[in-house]
Amino acid sequence: MHRNLRTFINQLRSEKEIVEIHTEVDPYLEIPEIHRRVISEEGPALLFTNVKGKNIPVVTNLFGTIKRVDMAFGPKPEQLVKELVGSIDELMPPSPSVLWKKKGMIKDVLSLGTKTVNKNKAPVLETFTTNVNMQDLPALTGWHLDSNPFVTLPLVYTEHPDKHEHNLGMYRIEIKEKNKTGIHWQIHKGGGFHHYAAEQKNDALPVTLFLGGPPSLMISAIAPLPEAVPELMFSSMLMGEKLSLAQVDGHPHPLIAEAEFAFGGIVPPHVREPEGPFGDHYGYYSWAHDFPVFNVEKMWKRKDAIYPATVVGKPKQEDYFIGEYLQRLMSPLFPVVMNGVRDLWTYAETGFHALAGAVVRESYYKEGLAHAFRIMGEGQLTLTKFLMVTNKPVNLQNFAELAEGVLERFLPERDLLIIHDTSMDTLDYTGRKFNTGSKAIMTGLGEPVRELKRTYDGGTISGIHDVGVFCGGCLTVSGPSFEEAPDFAEKLLENGHDSFKDWPLVFLVDDASIAATQAEFLWTTFTRFDPAYDVYAKSTIDRNRIKYEGTIIIDARMKPFYPDVVETREDIDKLVTDRWEEYFKK
């Protein structure tokens, strides 16, 4: 498919999937708000050619619809993955007849990888300087409480200091000074592992930051690949051909030949500086915390470089469509990598890591729990906060189907496991302590044990002013805010007992009307509770076993110690509204 950003933009032009905006626009808040309005309507990609104070155009919303994601990669990667998975049994052990039958697939696989090209075939080398000024980039400030402009589609390349295995990750880059940025690699990610290994030796870690290049690189940097799977190989698979690299004397890493920019430098050991706040993809501001810094020493770029960017915030944003594609692409691999896992889905509406669902095999009592543990121990899935598992075949993308499949089989004394004091996703603040919280597994296995109610007729409940039905067996209820009554969930457990007797799962929320849509329900609930703190149920302790009984109530109200929800500043909202026709004039 596409070897660089340019060919993709040209295809978008030919398909009328991109709009060029020639009016002067500000990368501080204005471009992000234009982007958000367009993506909310599943509108086109945007190429801003006149960026205030900068001489570099900005392209955003490249992957903001399913159609454009499919345009970027075509059907071949999915076909190849399905064919590989379907051929495993035939190829083990291989035979000449089978190898001949699969020669087309084998040829495709052998065509993948990287290749080194001459410098004159590496556009990224057209311009070089050691006088780097990162503040010349048209980096966006997406939300008004963000501490600085951020690079939001960074391709951060590192190598393990001993093993020399590479990692390509998308870790946000905060532009602090001319030659210094923050680098937000989390403790659970590949770049963070490499930096940790370098620090143990008291060494700086060489880093190369790429912007642009084949669209496949941007997807590969996000993909939750196992540590042993090289991102450059995965990118090659998405492209359907070898990825072009260029070697530069004196630089420790190969350069992506078709990138728009490449920045070389180091992350020094044992140096931490405040990074953030930043309005992130959970839909809240992540607060300032100490993170490593990236000292930038040199830059290569195309003469007419284009700056790619995205905007994150409350779902649905661009990462929603990218995440859907990746899960669609990788889903055939789950039963191979995790035997017994039939299907798996993480929910973009919750920031992906807050909620996952799975369909698993249950051929003996509680086999499904073993598969749940396997999921929670696999790569980035270790960040999952709440996992729901059933053996009933359901469409996981429809969360109501999953929830009903679980709840009609759910027995609280048997099927709820809360794991205390674990690591958490860095962006999830519900655990009351940075990088720390709890996890929960809810299983619904075997045959149904109840018929789920779908209409609430339990009457009034003291303190509750609204009740919503999200799906069979699951209610949303709203009453006083957490500030007004922090212990209300506990009181509700007693006061609502009779009203809730037919409802195995109840969410206490600030506005019960969120039950109307999956997107609002998932974002408003699963991003606002920590299992160890906020799950309420009657329980007894039998030796070392906690036995829950009755209705499970989850307090998913906003707490005063949570970060603020990201919201557009009023003056920016008015500015973009007033200028809207000006942006899109012919």
Side-chain angles (χ1 to χ4, degrees):
M1 287 298 288
H2 297 289
R3 297 180 181 179
N4 57 48
L5 187 60
R6 313 310 180 86
T7 61
F8 185 39
I9 290 175
N10 288 339
Q11 184 189 10
L12 295 177
R13 284 195 181 104
S14 68
E15 298 283 341
K16 295 182 170 49
E17 281 286 330
I18 192 168
V19 170
E20 295 190 22
I21 295 178
H22 303 294
T23 304
E24 185 182 70
V25 288
D26 198 329
Y28 177 78
L29 302 182
E30 186 177 11
I31 288 178
E33 178 60 17
I34 298 168
H35 169 106
R36 284 191 289 270
R37 294 191 187 192
V38 170
I39 202 169
S40 69
E41 300 296 328
E42 296 197 15
L46 302 169
L47 180 61
F48 300 93
T49 62
N50 186 3
V51 181
K52 182 178 179 181
K54 311 294 179 181
N55 59 5
I56 301 169
V58 173
V59 65
T60 76
N61 201 22
L62 291 167
F63 308 108
T65 63
I66 294 173
K67 178 182 178 181
R68 286 203 295 282
V69 172
D70 288 341
M71 286 172 62
F73 309 111
K76 194 169 183 179
E78 290 184 71
Q79 292 169 357
L80 180 58
V81 170
K82 289 177 182 177
E83 190 173 1
L84 282 168
V85 170
S87 302
I88 287 175
D89 289 341
E90 291 182 81
L91 290 170
M92 300 300 285
S95 67
S97 61
V98 171
L99 291 174
W100 178 254
K101 187 172 69 172
K102 300 292 182 181
K103 62 183 183 297
M105 180 193 72
I106 293 169
K107 181 181 177 182
D108 286 341
V109 172
L110 293 177
S111 70
L112 305 181
T114 62
K115 63 180 180 181
T116 301
V117 299
N118 292 330
K119 293 182 179 180
N120 60 3
K121 292 185 178 180
V124 74
L125 300 181
E126 289 174 349
T127 303
F128 173 72
T129 184
T130 56
N131 184 24
V132 186
N133 187 351
M134 298 294 286
Q135 294 172 331
D136 287 341
L137 293 175
L140 306 184
T141 303
W143 302 98
H144 61 274
L145 296 183
D146 287 0
S147 53
N148 274 303
F150 283 80
V151 179
T152 51
L153 281 180
L155 305 170
V156 180
Y157 180 95
T158 59
E159 293 182 357
H160 192 282
D162 300 317
K163 303 175 185 177
H164 302 294
E165 298 165 344
H166 79 258
N167 180 78
L168 188 75
M170 191 166 285
Y171 315 117
R172 71 187 190 223
I173 299 289
E174 179 184 3
I175 298 180
K176 295 170 171 283
E177 300 173 12
K178 176 181 175 181
N179 300 106
K180 184 169 72 174
T181 77
I183 187 164
H184 187 98
W185 51 37
Q186 300 174 22
I187 59 175
H188 321 83
K189 304 293 179 69
F193 296 152
H194 290 176
H195 185 223
Y196 174 83
E199 279 194 322
Q200 301 313 297
K201 303 167 68 174
N202 205 34
D203 289 342
L205 181 69
V207 170
T208 305
L209 165 64
F210 298 102
L211 299 177
S216 61
L217 281 174
M218 303 178 206
I219 303 300
S220 300
I222 298 171
L225 301 173
E227 287 301 315
V229 177
E231 283 82 6
L232 297 190
M233 177 65 80
F234 188 73
S235 177
S236 172
M237 188 203 74
L238 294 176
M239 290 171 61
E241 60 180 282
K242 291 187 185 296
L243 178 68
S244 296
L245 304 178
Q247 299 291 337
V248 177
D249 293 340
H251 188 65
H253 301 151
L255 299 185
I256 307 298
E258 295 282 352
E260 300 292 313
F261 297 84
F263 301 89
I266 62 167
V267 174
H270 314 298
V271 176
R272 303 290 188 275
E273 292 184 4
E275 189 266 2
F278 176 73
D280 64 46
H281 73 275
Y282 270 69
Y284 307 89
Y285 284 99
S286 54
W287 291 323
H289 297 284
D290 288 343
F291 273 88
V293 299
F294 175 37
N295 294 328
V296 186
E297 299 168 342
K298 45 197 171 184
M299 177 184 74
W300 299 263
K301 76 177 187 72
R302 290 174 179 253
K303 289 180 180 177
D304 57 348
I306 299 171
Y307 179 87
T310 191
V311 177
V312 293
K314 180 182 175 182
K316 298 178 178 179
Q317 301 295 333
E318 236 177 314
D319 60 339
Y320 177 92
F321 300 98
I322 294 171
E324 283 210 333
Y325 172 76
L326 282 170
Q327 296 192 81
R328 199 171 75 218
L329 176 68
M330 299 177 74
S331 60
L333 296 171
F334 295 142
V336 176
V337 176
M338 297 179 283
N339 186 28
V341 177
R342 308 298 193 198
D343 199 6
L344 178 66
W345 194 258
T346 62
Y347 292 86
E349 298 96 331
T350 71
F352 295 104
H353 295 317
L355 174 65
V359 177
V360 299
R361 183 179 65 210
E362 176 78 353
S363 58
Y364 57 85
Y365 179 70
K366 297 289 277 187
E367 179 191 4
L369 183 60
H371 300 313
F373 286 139
R374 179 69 178 86
I375 292 166
M376 298 288 266
E378 179 63 37
Q380 290 190 34
L381 289 168
T382 60
L383 298 176
T384 301
K385 179 170 70 176
F386 202 94
L387 174 62
M388 298 182 73
V389 170
T390 185
N391 62 304
K392 180 182 179 180
V394 295
N395 173 16
L396 291 176
Q397 296 179 51
N398 182 343
F399 179 72
E401 272 195 47
L402 169 64
E404 290 180 359
V406 171
L407 294 177
E408 66 188 4
R409 292 162 174 79
F410 175 71
L411 293 174
E413 67 273 18
R414 181 190 70 184
D415 295 328
L416 179 62
L417 175 64
I418 296 176
I419 305 164
H420 299 257
D421 197 24
T422 70
S423 66
M424 290 281 285
D425 185 3
T426 298
L427 303 180
D428 190 329
Y429 286 88
T430 58
R432 277 71 167 177
K433 184 179 178 183
F434 187 52
N435 281 330
T436 305
S438 67
K439 302 179 187 300
I441 298 172
M442 177 181 278
T443 60
L445 303 166
E447 296 301 317
V449 297
R450 68 172 61 81
E451 184 174 339
L452 300 175
K453 291 203 67 170
R454 300 175 184 277
T455 303
Y456 178 75
D457 55 10
T460 59
I461 305 168
S462 176
I464 293 296
H465 51 68
D466 195 12
V467 177
V469 177
F470 172 69
C471 66
C474 179
L475 293 178
T476 58
V477 299
S478 54
S481 68
F482 186 88
E483 292 93 325
E484 294 171 322
D487 59 348
F488 186 74
E490 192 170 357
K491 293 179 180 177
L492 189 61
L493 192 64
E494 298 295 332
N495 297 339
H497 180 68
D498 290 337
S499 300
F500 295 152
K501 67 180 187 303
D502 297 319
W503 298 89
L505 185 59
V506 173
F507 284 90
L508 174 60
V509 294
D510 294 304
D511 180 0
S513 69
I514 60 159
T517 68
Q518 173 169 306
E520 279 296 314
F521 172 80
L522 291 180
W523 179 70
T524 309
T525 53
F526 285 89
T527 65
R528 297 186 183 179
F529 77 87
D530 174 76
Y533 278 93
D534 299 313
V535 172
Y536 293 83
K538 291 187 176 181
S539 63
T540 57
I541 298 178
D542 179 8
R543 296 178 68 87
N544 295 313
R545 179 187 175 194
I546 300 175
K547 297 173 66 174
Y548 302 103
E549 60 182 79
T551 301
I552 305 297
I553 296 176
I554 297 179
D555 186 350
R557 295 175 293 174
M558 277 293 287
K559 282 78 172 179
F561 40 85
Y562 287 178
D564 292 336
V565 173
V566 292
E567 294 179 336
T568 301
R569 206 169 66 189
E570 287 186 12
D571 60 320
I572 298 301
D573 182 75
K574 183 178 186 306
L575 171 71
V576 172
T577 298
D578 292 345
R579 298 191 70 193
W580 194 253
E581 291 186 7
E582 186 182 349
Y583 301 138
F584 297 100
K585 65 185 178 183
K586 299 292 185 180

